[in-house]
Amino acid sequence: MIHARISGTGSYLPGAPVTNDDLVARGIETSDEWIATRTGIRARHFAAEGQSASDLAEVASRRAIEAAGASGDDIDLIIVATSTPDFIFPSTAALLQSRLGIRNDGAAFDVQAVCSGFAYALSIAEKFIRSGSHQRALVVGAEVFSRILDWSDRGTCVLFGDGAGAVVLEAADQPGVLATALHADGLHHKILAVPGAISSGKVLGDPFLRMDGQAVFKFAVRVLGDVASEVLDAAGMSVDQIDWLIPHQANIRIIQSTAKRVGIPLEKVIATVGAHGNTSAASIPLALDAAIRDGRIVRGQNIVLEGVGGGFTWGAALIAY
Ligand code: UT7
């Protein structure tokens, strides 16, 4: 039986941290106290002008490939989860393949599931590898949400940041990804959306991120709790066997409520939202890489990763690391 195992991780945050006080200094009518109390966010990073999702993805990917002890040409599948691609087309994944100098005719495509994008991409890659069709996948979450924020909407612009995280997932004899679950309910598409579009070079409608924060909050806590239980059940495991929970990093209060619903103590929850803000599809691989590099996550541990986002979409993966 072929398993799909994480062999390396990498991540990248552009520029220096931008604190809540820095946002106040830039003229946003907010305060460190409001943002920190409601969200746990203290800082985030923003891409420089001209820096795109593929720029961030490239650095994170090179780090992940190095950590896996692989080379670019070993990668025969690239999946980039992003809602802020460089272009409508070509895909950010195809651009990334070119930037990494990979010329092996492997597959490359983007996945658009907003903040659930990494859970979706990882689950897709796992199925390709387990089928035997591909050997080594680069799975990336890369976002430049700063480009779709309305800086006059203080209810949203203080929440998000830019960044990228990547994992190399490869065929192995030993178990890696133990269970995955993906879901969507398009009925709720309006509570978190960029409701505009670009056509014939013109912006149609509203091109910025809009959100009903309270509706998103309630939805997120419910489905993140449910989907964690779903992957545990699918793998026949109990919550006591989980070493780490890595929920989507949107808001510390959502993370705490989710942990409570799942029944996992907060000491076993990885939270990077305070330093990264909400980086959408990049948030889970950024948190995973941070916890691997600082030594909290070690080989042999079981991890639940889970995302929720616009669409509405949600999903989880249970991983033996
Ligand atoms: O990937 C998923 C992404 N989405 C999320 O994570 C969002 C989940 N939702 C939330 O985290 C919360 O709903 C928010 C943090 C976004 C908002 O918290 P809230 O407790 O739901 O606040 P609210 O929207 O009800 O606003 C309360 C007050 C309002 O003032 P009044 O009307 O009570 O005078 C807002 O105008 O807070 C005000 N407010 C702010 N004040 C200072 C809204 N944004 C800000 C701000 N700074 N940045």
Side-chain angles (χ1 to χ4, degrees), residues 28-31 34-35 38-39 115 154-156 158-160 192 211-214 216-217 248 250-251 253-254 278 280 308-310 312:
I28 297 166
E29 244 185 84
T30 188
S31 65
W34 191 96
I35 302 172
R38 307 260 174 153
T39 72
C115 306
R154 66 179 182 170
T156 55
V158 302
L159 305 176
F160 296 89
L192 179 53
M211 179 174 72
D212 175 345
Q214 288 179 9
V216 169
F217 194 106
H248 169 48
N251 179 316
R253 291 188 300 137
I254 295 179
N278 181 346
S280 192
V308 59
F312 243 73

PDB file of all heavy atoms in Angstrom, residues 28-31 34-35 38-39 115 154-156 158-160 192 211-214 216-217 248 250-251 253-254 278 280 308-310 312, ligand 1:
ATOM      1  N   ILE A  28      -5.523  54.185  10.343  1.00  0.00           N
ATOM      2  CA  ILE A  28      -6.714  53.333  10.503  1.00  0.00           C
ATOM      3  C   ILE A  28      -7.302  53.573  11.900  1.00  0.00           C
ATOM      4  O   ILE A  28      -6.567  53.562  12.900  1.00  0.00           O
ATOM      5  CB  ILE A  28      -6.365  51.848  10.275  1.00  0.00           C
ATOM      6  CG1 ILE A  28      -5.900  51.676   8.818  1.00  0.00           C
ATOM      7  CG2 ILE A  28      -7.555  50.939  10.558  1.00  0.00           C
ATOM      8  CD1 ILE A  28      -5.221  50.382   8.528  1.00  0.00           C
ATOM      9  N   GLU A  29      -8.606  53.813  11.928  1.00  0.00           N
ATOM     10  CA  GLU A  29      -9.280  54.139  13.200  1.00  0.00           C
ATOM     11  C   GLU A  29      -9.476  52.892  14.028  1.00  0.00           C
ATOM     12  O   GLU A  29     -10.548  52.256  13.999  1.00  0.00           O
ATOM     13  CB  GLU A  29     -10.657  54.728  12.881  1.00  0.00           C
ATOM     14  CG  GLU A  29     -10.807  56.166  13.320  1.00  0.00           C
ATOM     15  CD  GLU A  29     -12.218  56.633  13.088  1.00  0.00           C
ATOM     16  OE1 GLU A  29     -13.073  56.373  13.961  1.00  0.00           O
ATOM     17  OE2 GLU A  29     -12.453  57.214  12.016  1.00  0.00           O
ATOM     18  N   THR A  30      -8.415  52.457  14.692  1.00  0.00           N
ATOM     19  CA  THR A  30      -8.481  51.246  15.497  1.00  0.00           C
ATOM     20  C   THR A  30      -7.522  51.392  16.665  1.00  0.00           C
ATOM     21  O   THR A  30      -6.983  52.472  16.902  1.00  0.00           O
ATOM     22  CB  THR A  30      -8.147  50.014  14.616  1.00  0.00           C
ATOM     23  OG1 THR A  30      -8.394  48.834  15.352  1.00  0.00           O
ATOM     24  CG2 THR A  30      -6.702  50.013  14.116  1.00  0.00           C
ATOM     25  N   SER A  31      -7.319  50.309  17.416  1.00  0.00           N
ATOM     26  CA  SER A  31      -6.353  50.368  18.514  1.00  0.00           C
ATOM     27  C   SER A  31      -5.782  48.974  18.730  1.00  0.00           C
ATOM     28  O   SER A  31      -6.428  47.969  18.391  1.00  0.00           O
ATOM     29  CB  SER A  31      -7.045  50.829  19.804  1.00  0.00           C
ATOM     30  OG  SER A  31      -8.003  49.860  20.191  1.00  0.00           O
ATOM     31  N   TRP A  34      -8.237  46.974  20.865  1.00  0.00           N
ATOM     32  CA  TRP A  34      -9.416  46.395  20.193  1.00  0.00           C
ATOM     33  C   TRP A  34      -9.002  45.152  19.405  1.00  0.00           C
ATOM     34  O   TRP A  34      -9.620  44.082  19.522  1.00  0.00           O
ATOM     35  CB  TRP A  34     -10.075  47.413  19.247  1.00  0.00           C
ATOM     36  CG  TRP A  34     -11.430  46.963  18.754  1.00  0.00           C
ATOM     37  CD1 TRP A  34     -12.647  47.303  19.289  1.00  0.00           C
ATOM     38  CD2 TRP A  34     -11.711  46.077  17.662  1.00  0.00           C
ATOM     39  NE1 TRP A  34     -13.664  46.682  18.598  1.00  0.00           N
ATOM     40  CE2 TRP A  34     -13.109  45.912  17.590  1.00  0.00           C
ATOM     41  CE3 TRP A  34     -10.928  45.384  16.744  1.00  0.00           C
ATOM     42  CZ2 TRP A  34     -13.749  45.113  16.642  1.00  0.00           C
ATOM     43  CZ3 TRP A  34     -11.553  44.570  15.799  1.00  0.00           C
ATOM     44  CH2 TRP A  34     -12.944  44.446  15.756  1.00  0.00           C
ATOM     45  N   ILE A  35      -7.954  45.287  18.603  1.00  0.00           N
ATOM     46  CA  ILE A  35      -7.568  44.167  17.724  1.00  0.00           C
ATOM     47  C   ILE A  35      -7.106  42.968  18.560  1.00  0.00           C
ATOM     48  O   ILE A  35      -7.528  41.829  18.329  1.00  0.00           O
ATOM     49  CB  ILE A  35      -6.447  44.588  16.735  1.00  0.00           C
ATOM     50  CG1 ILE A  35      -6.901  45.770  15.874  1.00  0.00           C
ATOM     51  CG2 ILE A  35      -6.063  43.412  15.841  1.00  0.00           C
ATOM     52  CD1 ILE A  35      -5.795  46.374  15.012  1.00  0.00           C
ATOM     53  N   ARG A  38     -10.120  41.287  20.547  1.00  0.00           N
ATOM     54  CA  ARG A  38     -11.126  40.574  19.734  1.00  0.00           C
ATOM     55  C   ARG A  38     -10.548  39.459  18.896  1.00  0.00           C
ATOM     56  O   ARG A  38     -11.268  38.548  18.493  1.00  0.00           O
ATOM     57  CB  ARG A  38     -11.813  41.545  18.773  1.00  0.00           C
ATOM     58  CG  ARG A  38     -12.397  42.752  19.412  1.00  0.00           C
ATOM     59  CD  ARG A  38     -13.882  42.622  19.602  1.00  0.00           C
ATOM     60  NE  ARG A  38     -14.362  43.765  20.365  1.00  0.00           N
ATOM     61  CZ  ARG A  38     -15.570  44.238  20.300  1.00  0.00           C
ATOM     62  NH1 ARG A  38     -16.475  43.662  19.544  1.00  0.00           N
ATOM     63  NH2 ARG A  38     -15.918  45.281  21.034  1.00  0.00           N
ATOM     64  N   THR A  39      -9.245  39.548  18.554  1.00  0.00           N
ATOM     65  CA  THR A  39      -8.704  38.583  17.579  1.00  0.00           C
ATOM     66  C   THR A  39      -7.419  37.891  18.018  1.00  0.00           C
ATOM     67  O   THR A  39      -7.049  36.881  17.430  1.00  0.00           O
ATOM     68  CB  THR A  39      -8.383  39.294  16.234  1.00  0.00           C
ATOM     69  OG1 THR A  39      -7.228  40.123  16.419  1.00  0.00           O
ATOM     70  CG2 THR A  39      -9.541  40.138  15.751  1.00  0.00           C
ATOM     71  N   CYS A 115      -9.700  30.162   2.667  1.00  0.00           N
ATOM     72  CA  CYS A 115      -8.894  29.774   3.838  1.00  0.00           C
ATOM     73  C   CYS A 115      -8.863  28.254   4.064  1.00  0.00           C
ATOM     74  O   CYS A 115      -8.091  27.772   4.894  1.00  0.00           O
ATOM     75  CB  CYS A 115      -9.382  30.489   5.086  1.00  0.00           C
ATOM     76  SG  CYS A 115      -9.436  32.273   4.892  1.00  0.00           S
ATOM     77  N   ARG A 154     -12.322  49.150   8.659  1.00  0.00           N
ATOM     78  CA  ARG A 154     -11.501  48.703   9.795  1.00  0.00           C
ATOM     79  C   ARG A 154     -11.936  47.348  10.341  1.00  0.00           C
ATOM     80  O   ARG A 154     -11.204  46.690  11.068  1.00  0.00           O
ATOM     81  CB  ARG A 154     -11.529  49.751  10.907  1.00  0.00           C
ATOM     82  CG  ARG A 154     -12.896  49.920  11.543  1.00  0.00           C
ATOM     83  CD  ARG A 154     -12.862  50.952  12.642  1.00  0.00           C
ATOM     84  NE  ARG A 154     -14.174  51.065  13.275  1.00  0.00           N
ATOM     85  CZ  ARG A 154     -14.398  51.724  14.366  1.00  0.00           C
ATOM     86  NH1 ARG A 154     -13.405  52.361  14.975  1.00  0.00           N
ATOM     87  NH2 ARG A 154     -15.605  51.792  14.894  1.00  0.00           N
ATOM     88  N   GLY A 155     -13.167  46.946  10.011  1.00  0.00           N
ATOM     89  CA  GLY A 155     -13.664  45.640  10.475  1.00  0.00           C
ATOM     90  C   GLY A 155     -12.988  44.476   9.764  1.00  0.00           C
ATOM     91  O   GLY A 155     -13.060  43.330  10.223  1.00  0.00           O
ATOM     92  N   THR A 156     -12.324  44.725   8.634  1.00  0.00           N
ATOM     93  CA  THR A 156     -11.631  43.627   7.925  1.00  0.00           C
ATOM     94  C   THR A 156     -10.132  43.882   7.734  1.00  0.00           C
ATOM     95  O   THR A 156      -9.350  42.943   7.827  1.00  0.00           O
ATOM     96  CB  THR A 156     -12.254  43.378   6.529  1.00  0.00           C
ATOM     97  OG1 THR A 156     -12.237  44.617   5.790  1.00  0.00           O
ATOM     98  CG2 THR A 156     -13.671  42.857   6.624  1.00  0.00           C
ATOM     99  N   VAL A 158      -7.751  45.040   9.412  1.00  0.00           N
ATOM    100  CA  VAL A 158      -6.797  44.774  10.499  1.00  0.00           C
ATOM    101  C   VAL A 158      -6.559  43.271  10.710  1.00  0.00           C
ATOM    102  O   VAL A 158      -5.696  42.886  11.498  1.00  0.00           O
ATOM    103  CB  VAL A 158      -7.282  45.401  11.832  1.00  0.00           C
ATOM    104  CG1 VAL A 158      -7.482  46.901  11.688  1.00  0.00           C
ATOM    105  CG2 VAL A 158      -8.572  44.738  12.324  1.00  0.00           C
ATOM    106  N   LEU A 159      -7.356  42.448  10.010  1.00  0.00           N
ATOM    107  CA  LEU A 159      -7.349  41.017  10.323  1.00  0.00           C
ATOM    108  C   LEU A 159      -6.352  40.193   9.512  1.00  0.00           C
ATOM    109  O   LEU A 159      -5.956  39.111   9.941  1.00  0.00           O
ATOM    110  CB  LEU A 159      -8.753  40.420  10.083  1.00  0.00           C
ATOM    111  CG  LEU A 159      -9.923  41.086  10.811  1.00  0.00           C
ATOM    112  CD1 LEU A 159     -11.235  40.447  10.388  1.00  0.00           C
ATOM    113  CD2 LEU A 159      -9.735  40.972  12.320  1.00  0.00           C
ATOM    114  N   PHE A 160      -5.992  40.682   8.329  1.00  0.00           N
ATOM    115  CA  PHE A 160      -5.289  39.808   7.382  1.00  0.00           C
ATOM    116  C   PHE A 160      -3.829  40.190   7.177  1.00  0.00           C
ATOM    117  O   PHE A 160      -3.428  41.338   7.420  1.00  0.00           O
ATOM    118  CB  PHE A 160      -6.020  39.824   6.033  1.00  0.00           C
ATOM    119  CG  PHE A 160      -7.410  39.240   6.123  1.00  0.00           C
ATOM    120  CD1 PHE A 160      -8.500  40.043   6.438  1.00  0.00           C
ATOM    121  CD2 PHE A 160      -7.619  37.877   5.935  1.00  0.00           C
ATOM    122  CE1 PHE A 160      -9.781  39.500   6.549  1.00  0.00           C
ATOM    123  CE2 PHE A 160      -8.887  37.332   6.044  1.00  0.00           C
ATOM    124  CZ  PHE A 160      -9.976  38.153   6.357  1.00  0.00           C
ATOM    125  N   LEU A 192     -18.680  35.803   3.374  1.00  0.00           N
ATOM    126  CA  LEU A 192     -17.251  36.119   3.220  1.00  0.00           C
ATOM    127  C   LEU A 192     -16.942  36.045   1.734  1.00  0.00           C
ATOM    128  O   LEU A 192     -16.944  34.951   1.161  1.00  0.00           O
ATOM    129  CB  LEU A 192     -16.405  35.113   4.021  1.00  0.00           C
ATOM    130  CG  LEU A 192     -14.884  35.268   3.964  1.00  0.00           C
ATOM    131  CD1 LEU A 192     -14.435  36.668   4.324  1.00  0.00           C
ATOM    132  CD2 LEU A 192     -14.224  34.258   4.892  1.00  0.00           C
ATOM    133  N   MET A 211     -17.145  40.939   4.638  1.00  0.00           N
ATOM    134  CA  MET A 211     -17.385  39.848   5.584  1.00  0.00           C
ATOM    135  C   MET A 211     -18.432  40.212   6.620  1.00  0.00           C
ATOM    136  O   MET A 211     -18.446  41.333   7.128  1.00  0.00           O
ATOM    137  CB  MET A 211     -16.061  39.539   6.295  1.00  0.00           C
ATOM    138  CG  MET A 211     -16.151  38.443   7.320  1.00  0.00           C
ATOM    139  SD  MET A 211     -14.537  38.017   7.976  1.00  0.00           S
ATOM    140  CE  MET A 211     -14.202  39.454   8.984  1.00  0.00           C
ATOM    141  N   ASP A 212     -19.292  39.255   6.915  1.00  0.00           N
ATOM    142  CA  ASP A 212     -20.172  39.345   8.078  1.00  0.00           C
ATOM    143  C   ASP A 212     -19.439  38.596   9.198  1.00  0.00           C
ATOM    144  O   ASP A 212     -19.533  37.367   9.308  1.00  0.00           O
ATOM    145  CB  ASP A 212     -21.527  38.696   7.748  1.00  0.00           C
ATOM    146  CG  ASP A 212     -22.460  38.655   8.953  1.00  0.00           C
ATOM    147  OD1 ASP A 212     -21.990  38.857  10.094  1.00  0.00           O
ATOM    148  OD2 ASP A 212     -23.651  38.406   8.747  1.00  0.00           O
ATOM    149  N   GLY A 213     -18.658  39.358   9.980  1.00  0.00           N
ATOM    150  CA  GLY A 213     -17.729  38.758  10.945  1.00  0.00           C
ATOM    151  C   GLY A 213     -18.391  37.822  11.934  1.00  0.00           C
ATOM    152  O   GLY A 213     -17.880  36.739  12.215  1.00  0.00           O
ATOM    153  N   GLN A 214     -19.548  38.205  12.442  1.00  0.00           N
ATOM    154  CA  GLN A 214     -20.172  37.361  13.473  1.00  0.00           C
ATOM    155  C   GLN A 214     -20.716  36.063  12.889  1.00  0.00           C
ATOM    156  O   GLN A 214     -20.629  35.004  13.512  1.00  0.00           O
ATOM    157  CB  GLN A 214     -21.247  38.155  14.206  1.00  0.00           C
ATOM    158  CG  GLN A 214     -20.577  39.203  15.095  1.00  0.00           C
ATOM    159  CD  GLN A 214     -21.538  40.081  15.859  1.00  0.00           C
ATOM    160  OE1 GLN A 214     -22.738  39.838  15.873  1.00  0.00           O
ATOM    161  NE2 GLN A 214     -21.008  41.115  16.483  1.00  0.00           N
ATOM    162  N   VAL A 216     -19.493  34.560  10.263  1.00  0.00           N
ATOM    163  CA  VAL A 216     -18.311  33.734   9.969  1.00  0.00           C
ATOM    164  C   VAL A 216     -17.807  33.071  11.243  1.00  0.00           C
ATOM    165  O   VAL A 216     -17.484  31.881  11.268  1.00  0.00           O
ATOM    166  CB  VAL A 216     -17.191  34.596   9.331  1.00  0.00           C
ATOM    167  CG1 VAL A 216     -15.872  33.831   9.272  1.00  0.00           C
ATOM    168  CG2 VAL A 216     -17.598  35.070   7.947  1.00  0.00           C
ATOM    169  N   PHE A 217     -17.761  33.835  12.314  1.00  0.00           N
ATOM    170  CA  PHE A 217     -17.266  33.332  13.599  1.00  0.00           C
ATOM    171  C   PHE A 217     -18.052  32.074  14.027  1.00  0.00           C
ATOM    172  O   PHE A 217     -17.475  31.025  14.318  1.00  0.00           O
ATOM    173  CB  PHE A 217     -17.411  34.430  14.654  1.00  0.00           C
ATOM    174  CG  PHE A 217     -16.639  34.178  15.916  1.00  0.00           C
ATOM    175  CD1 PHE A 217     -15.484  34.892  16.183  1.00  0.00           C
ATOM    176  CD2 PHE A 217     -17.056  33.246  16.842  1.00  0.00           C
ATOM    177  CE1 PHE A 217     -14.752  34.664  17.349  1.00  0.00           C
ATOM    178  CE2 PHE A 217     -16.344  33.008  18.002  1.00  0.00           C
ATOM    179  CZ  PHE A 217     -15.192  33.723  18.258  1.00  0.00           C
ATOM    180  N   HIS A 248      -7.050  26.674  11.231  1.00  0.00           N
ATOM    181  CA  HIS A 248      -6.848  27.893  10.448  1.00  0.00           C
ATOM    182  C   HIS A 248      -6.657  29.067  11.413  1.00  0.00           C
ATOM    183  O   HIS A 248      -7.370  29.204  12.403  1.00  0.00           O
ATOM    184  CB  HIS A 248      -8.059  28.124   9.546  1.00  0.00           C
ATOM    185  CG  HIS A 248      -8.063  29.472   8.897  1.00  0.00           C
ATOM    186  ND1 HIS A 248      -6.956  29.988   8.268  1.00  0.00           N
ATOM    187  CD2 HIS A 248      -9.034  30.423   8.798  1.00  0.00           C
ATOM    188  CE1 HIS A 248      -7.246  31.198   7.808  1.00  0.00           C
ATOM    189  NE2 HIS A 248      -8.494  31.477   8.114  1.00  0.00           N
ATOM    190  N   ALA A 250      -7.280  32.422  12.103  1.00  0.00           N
ATOM    191  CA  ALA A 250      -8.063  33.613  11.779  1.00  0.00           C
ATOM    192  C   ALA A 250      -8.220  34.511  12.996  1.00  0.00           C
ATOM    193  O   ALA A 250      -8.155  35.731  12.886  1.00  0.00           O
ATOM    194  CB  ALA A 250      -9.430  33.219  11.245  1.00  0.00           C
ATOM    195  N   ASN A 251      -8.425  33.867  14.150  1.00  0.00           N
ATOM    196  CA  ASN A 251      -8.813  34.618  15.333  1.00  0.00           C
ATOM    197  C   ASN A 251      -8.582  33.709  16.541  1.00  0.00           C
ATOM    198  O   ASN A 251      -9.027  32.558  16.544  1.00  0.00           O
ATOM    199  CB  ASN A 251     -10.308  34.965  15.184  1.00  0.00           C
ATOM    200  CG  ASN A 251     -10.857  35.724  16.350  1.00  0.00           C
ATOM    201  OD1 ASN A 251     -10.583  35.398  17.504  1.00  0.00           O
ATOM    202  ND2 ASN A 251     -11.657  36.726  16.061  1.00  0.00           N
ATOM    203  N   ARG A 253      -9.901  33.656  19.358  1.00  0.00           N
ATOM    204  CA  ARG A 253     -11.135  33.215  20.037  1.00  0.00           C
ATOM    205  C   ARG A 253     -11.782  32.065  19.272  1.00  0.00           C
ATOM    206  O   ARG A 253     -12.367  31.168  19.884  1.00  0.00           O
ATOM    207  CB  ARG A 253     -12.092  34.392  20.202  1.00  0.00           C
ATOM    208  CG  ARG A 253     -11.553  35.427  21.219  1.00  0.00           C
ATOM    209  CD  ARG A 253     -12.586  36.490  21.525  1.00  0.00           C
ATOM    210  NE  ARG A 253     -12.971  37.204  20.327  1.00  0.00           N
ATOM    211  CZ  ARG A 253     -14.214  37.533  19.988  1.00  0.00           C
ATOM    212  NH1 ARG A 253     -15.219  37.218  20.785  1.00  0.00           N
ATOM    213  NH2 ARG A 253     -14.470  38.195  18.882  1.00  0.00           N
ATOM    214  N   ILE A 254     -11.693  32.069  17.936  1.00  0.00           N
ATOM    215  CA  ILE A 254     -12.203  30.933  17.147  1.00  0.00           C
ATOM    216  C   ILE A 254     -11.353  29.699  17.468  1.00  0.00           C
ATOM    217  O   ILE A 254     -11.867  28.596  17.674  1.00  0.00           O
ATOM    218  CB  ILE A 254     -12.152  31.228  15.623  1.00  0.00           C
ATOM    219  CG1 ILE A 254     -13.096  32.373  15.260  1.00  0.00           C
ATOM    220  CG2 ILE A 254     -12.488  29.973  14.816  1.00  0.00           C
ATOM    221  CD1 ILE A 254     -13.103  32.758  13.781  1.00  0.00           C
ATOM    222  N   ASN A 278      -4.306  36.772   9.809  1.00  0.00           N
ATOM    223  CA  ASN A 278      -4.964  35.726   9.009  1.00  0.00           C
ATOM    224  C   ASN A 278      -4.360  35.747   7.602  1.00  0.00           C
ATOM    225  O   ASN A 278      -4.570  36.697   6.857  1.00  0.00           O
ATOM    226  CB  ASN A 278      -6.471  36.014   8.974  1.00  0.00           C
ATOM    227  CG  ASN A 278      -7.248  34.964   8.192  1.00  0.00           C
ATOM    228  OD1 ASN A 278      -6.675  34.164   7.465  1.00  0.00           O
ATOM    229  ND2 ASN A 278      -8.561  34.994   8.334  1.00  0.00           N
ATOM    230  N   SER A 280      -5.012  33.416   5.327  1.00  0.00           N
ATOM    231  CA  SER A 280      -5.880  32.585   4.485  1.00  0.00           C
ATOM    232  C   SER A 280      -5.238  31.218   4.200  1.00  0.00           C
ATOM    233  O   SER A 280      -4.856  30.522   5.124  1.00  0.00           O
ATOM    234  CB  SER A 280      -6.259  33.342   3.209  1.00  0.00           C
ATOM    235  OG  SER A 280      -7.292  32.667   2.539  1.00  0.00           O
ATOM    236  N   VAL A 308     -11.110  26.586   7.361  1.00  0.00           N
ATOM    237  CA  VAL A 308     -12.482  26.996   7.053  1.00  0.00           C
ATOM    238  C   VAL A 308     -12.394  28.344   6.346  1.00  0.00           C
ATOM    239  O   VAL A 308     -11.538  29.160   6.674  1.00  0.00           O
ATOM    240  CB  VAL A 308     -13.336  27.094   8.338  1.00  0.00           C
ATOM    241  CG1 VAL A 308     -12.759  28.077   9.339  1.00  0.00           C
ATOM    242  CG2 VAL A 308     -14.779  27.466   8.018  1.00  0.00           C
ATOM    243  N   GLY A 309     -13.252  28.559   5.363  1.00  0.00           N
ATOM    244  CA  GLY A 309     -13.172  29.835   4.660  1.00  0.00           C
ATOM    245  C   GLY A 309     -14.311  30.063   3.693  1.00  0.00           C
ATOM    246  O   GLY A 309     -15.285  29.296   3.658  1.00  0.00           O
ATOM    247  N   GLY A 310     -14.136  31.113   2.910  1.00  0.00           N
ATOM    248  CA  GLY A 310     -15.179  31.539   1.982  1.00  0.00           C
ATOM    249  C   GLY A 310     -15.646  30.403   1.091  1.00  0.00           C
ATOM    250  O   GLY A 310     -14.900  29.469   0.788  1.00  0.00           O
ATOM    251  N   PHE A 312     -19.176  28.700   1.485  1.00  0.00           N
ATOM    252  CA  PHE A 312     -18.242  28.364   2.538  1.00  0.00           C
ATOM    253  C   PHE A 312     -17.609  27.003   2.295  1.00  0.00           C
ATOM    254  O   PHE A 312     -18.253  26.119   1.758  1.00  0.00           O
ATOM    255  CB  PHE A 312     -18.948  28.430   3.898  1.00  0.00           C
ATOM    256  CG  PHE A 312     -18.319  29.497   4.761  1.00  0.00           C
ATOM    257  CD1 PHE A 312     -18.499  30.810   4.522  1.00  0.00           C
ATOM    258  CD2 PHE A 312     -17.481  29.124   5.814  1.00  0.00           C
ATOM    259  CE1 PHE A 312     -17.871  31.771   5.320  1.00  0.00           C
ATOM    260  CE2 PHE A 312     -16.864  30.080   6.609  1.00  0.00           C
ATOM    261  CZ  PHE A 312     -17.055  31.400   6.366  1.00  0.00           C
TER     262      PHE A 312
HETATM  263  O1  UT7 B   1     -10.855  33.239   7.615  1.00  0.00           O
HETATM  264  C1  UT7 B   1     -12.017  33.654   8.249  1.00  0.00           C
HETATM  265  C2  UT7 B   1     -11.915  35.150   8.431  1.00  0.00           C
HETATM  266  N1  UT7 B   1     -12.889  35.728   9.255  1.00  0.00           N
HETATM  267  C3  UT7 B   1     -12.814  35.878  10.581  1.00  0.00           C
HETATM  268  O2  UT7 B   1     -11.934  35.403  11.256  1.00  0.00           O
HETATM  269  C4  UT7 B   1     -13.863  36.716  11.203  1.00  0.00           C
HETATM  270  C5  UT7 B   1     -14.525  36.128  12.378  1.00  0.00           C
HETATM  271  N2  UT7 B   1     -15.151  37.197  13.109  1.00  0.00           N
HETATM  272  C6  UT7 B   1     -14.478  37.931  13.997  1.00  0.00           C
HETATM  273  O3  UT7 B   1     -13.327  37.654  14.285  1.00  0.00           O
HETATM  274  C7  UT7 B   1     -15.187  39.089  14.659  1.00  0.00           C
HETATM  275  O4  UT7 B   1     -16.516  39.117  14.209  1.00  0.00           O
HETATM  276  C8  UT7 B   1     -14.479  40.426  14.361  1.00  0.00           C
HETATM  277  C9  UT7 B   1     -13.141  40.465  15.088  1.00  0.00           C
HETATM  278  C10 UT7 B   1     -14.243  40.599  12.871  1.00  0.00           C
HETATM  279  C11 UT7 B   1     -15.331  41.578  14.846  1.00  0.00           C
HETATM  280  O5  UT7 B   1     -15.618  41.420  16.223  1.00  0.00           O
HETATM  281  P1  UT7 B   1     -17.094  41.665  16.747  1.00  0.00           P
HETATM  282  O6  UT7 B   1     -17.067  41.460  18.190  1.00  0.00           O
HETATM  283  O7  UT7 B   1     -18.005  40.797  15.933  1.00  0.00           O
HETATM  284  O8  UT7 B   1     -17.292  43.200  16.442  1.00  0.00           O
HETATM  285  P2  UT7 B   1     -18.423  43.942  15.592  1.00  0.00           P
HETATM  286  O9  UT7 B   1     -18.195  43.755  14.131  1.00  0.00           O
HETATM  287  O10 UT7 B   1     -19.774  43.593  16.146  1.00  0.00           O
HETATM  288  O11 UT7 B   1     -18.124  45.432  15.944  1.00  0.00           O
HETATM  289  C12 UT7 B   1     -18.189  45.902  17.306  1.00  0.00           C
HETATM  290  C13 UT7 B   1     -17.740  47.354  17.335  1.00  0.00           C
HETATM  291  C14 UT7 B   1     -18.432  48.238  16.304  1.00  0.00           C
HETATM  292  O12 UT7 B   1     -18.617  49.480  16.891  1.00  0.00           O
HETATM  293  P3  UT7 B   1     -20.059  49.917  17.511  1.00  0.00           P
HETATM  294  O13 UT7 B   1     -21.010  49.803  16.364  1.00  0.00           O
HETATM  295  O14 UT7 B   1     -20.320  48.911  18.593  1.00  0.00           O
HETATM  296  O15 UT7 B   1     -19.805  51.296  17.997  1.00  0.00           O
HETATM  297  C15 UT7 B   1     -17.409  48.362  15.202  1.00  0.00           C
HETATM  298  O16 UT7 B   1     -17.549  49.539  14.464  1.00  0.00           O
HETATM  299  O17 UT7 B   1     -16.330  47.417  17.047  1.00  0.00           O
HETATM  300  C16 UT7 B   1     -16.127  48.381  15.987  1.00  0.00           C
HETATM  301  N3  UT7 B   1     -14.970  47.967  15.223  1.00  0.00           N
HETATM  302  C17 UT7 B   1     -13.715  48.378  15.500  1.00  0.00           C
HETATM  303  N4  UT7 B   1     -13.236  49.192  16.459  1.00  0.00           N
HETATM  304  C18 UT7 B   1     -11.897  49.372  16.474  1.00  0.00           C
HETATM  305  C19 UT7 B   1     -14.930  47.145  14.140  1.00  0.00           C
HETATM  306  N5  UT7 B   1     -13.664  46.999  13.725  1.00  0.00           N
HETATM  307  C20 UT7 B   1     -12.888  47.745  14.546  1.00  0.00           C
HETATM  308  C21 UT7 B   1     -11.497  47.980  14.627  1.00  0.00           C
HETATM  309  N6  UT7 B   1     -11.054  48.792  15.604  1.00  0.00           N
HETATM  310  N7  UT7 B   1     -10.613  47.417  13.768  1.00  0.00           N
END
